[in-house]
Amino acid sequence: MNILLISLLGCLVVALPSASVQKVKWCVKTQKELDKCKHLASKSADLECVLQPSIIDCIKSIAKGDADAVTADGKHVYSGELKPYELRPIIAEKSKTEPCYAVAVVKRDTQFTIKDLKGKTSCHSCYQRPGGWDLPIGRLVSDRIIDWDVSDDMPLERAVSQFFLRSCIPGISKAVYPNLCSACQGDSVGCWILPCQVALQCMKKGVGDVAFICQGGIPGE
């Protein structure tokens, strides 16, 4: 079984090699990472560097057994857990900053649960940030509440836009995903310019059914 070693803020993804493999094959995505890996490999005969164009390609390589480890951002943690890769998280790296605890905020008289979010209006603190996007959307995908697979041709953002009735996600492109901006107030020029703190305002104005925010030490959320 492949094994995924992760951190939520700065991730280390590892599939432990079998007993027959002598070297740890480290997957890198850039020339800078490759240079660093080669430097480390020059100090250890147990390390081999594998260059791939993206983190998803590295995850695919790990799943196929062509690589054993990769350094990744938190937003790709859930991708590695999904089919067809099914890597398993076992260790989290401790961050020097305070952790972000993703929180879903709803109105006091709300009767629905996380499993009932399809067709609701969502407010997010920020696109591609832990509290507003990575952790809550990753959780919804991991629990198969949002039906999306990393191997699909459909972008995750498109699947999210089809799941929620409408959303306000500061930082996302209105031109590409208009439905993910349609719940933003005063959004005449695109929600990519909106501050990341609009999620609770969206809820207070009665626009959203749920707000995804970060309770912790992540600046801007």
Side-chain angles (χ1 to χ4, degrees):
M1 176 185 292
N2 286 334
I3 298 176
L4 183 69
L5 180 62
I6 65 168
S7 155
L8 291 178
L9 300 181
C11 304
L12 181 65
V13 181
V14 175
L16 296 183
S18 63
S20 61
V21 178
Q22 299 301 312
K23 291 187 175 184
V24 173
K25 293 174 286 187
W26 198 281
C27 191
V28 296
K29 297 90 64 184
T30 65
Q31 184 62 46
K32 184 177 181 180
E33 286 187 0
L34 180 61
D35 293 341
K36 184 176 181 179
C37 181
K38 286 183 175 179
H39 174 72
L40 294 173
S42 69
K43 308 293 184 181
S44 173
D46 298 325
L47 181 64
E48 179 180 342
C49 306
V50 178
L51 179 63
Q52 291 288 350
S54 70
I55 177 61
I56 295 300
D57 289 297
C58 281
I59 290 175
K60 291 178 180 179
S61 293
I62 292 173
K64 291 191 301 183
D66 296 333
D68 303 311
V70 64
T71 304
D73 293 331
K75 63 185 178 182
H76 294 108
V77 170
Y78 289 103
S79 298
E81 293 185 88
L82 301 176
K83 293 181 178 180
Y85 314 118
E86 297 184 308
L87 306 183
R88 181 164 61 89
I90 56 171
I91 298 176
E93 175 188 13
K94 185 177 181 180
S95 172
K96 292 182 180 179
T97 61
E98 294 181 25
C100 168
Y101 299 99
V103 177
V105 179
V106 296
K107 299 170 185 175
R108 187 185 299 273
D109 58 351
T110 293
Q111 300 297 319
F112 60 83
T113 69
I114 189 173
K115 295 181 180 180
D116 306 312
L117 289 179
K118 185 174 177 63
K120 305 296 185 190
T121 297
S122 63
C123 308
H124 303 247
S125 58
C126 221
Y127 176 53
Q128 291 188 336
R129 296 296 297 272
W133 180 265
D134 298 342
L135 297 179
I137 298 302
R139 168 68 184 276
L140 292 172
V141 170
S142 180
D143 289 352
R144 308 305 297 179
I145 297 171
I146 294 180
D147 186 15
W148 180 83
D149 194 292
V150 70
S151 62
D152 290 344
D153 292 333
M154 179 194 301
L156 174 58
E157 290 81 358
R158 181 67 62 194
V160 173
S161 71
Q162 295 176 357
F163 179 80
F164 291 112
L165 176 65
R166 58 188 184 132
S167 301
C168 178
I169 309 179
I172 205 165
S173 171
K174 180 179 181 179
V176 180
Y177 303 106
N179 194 51
L180 298 183
C181 286
S182 61
C184 295
Q185 300 294 296
D187 180 34
S188 60
V189 292
C191 65
W192 61 273
I193 68 165
L194 294 173
C196 291
Q197 294 87 357
V198 301
L200 290 180
Q201 297 177 24
C202 176
M203 287 288 293
K204 288 172 65 176
K205 293 179 179 179
V207 177
D209 298 306
V210 59
F212 298 110
I213 62 173
C214 180
Q215 183 184 33
I218 305 298
E221 292 203 14

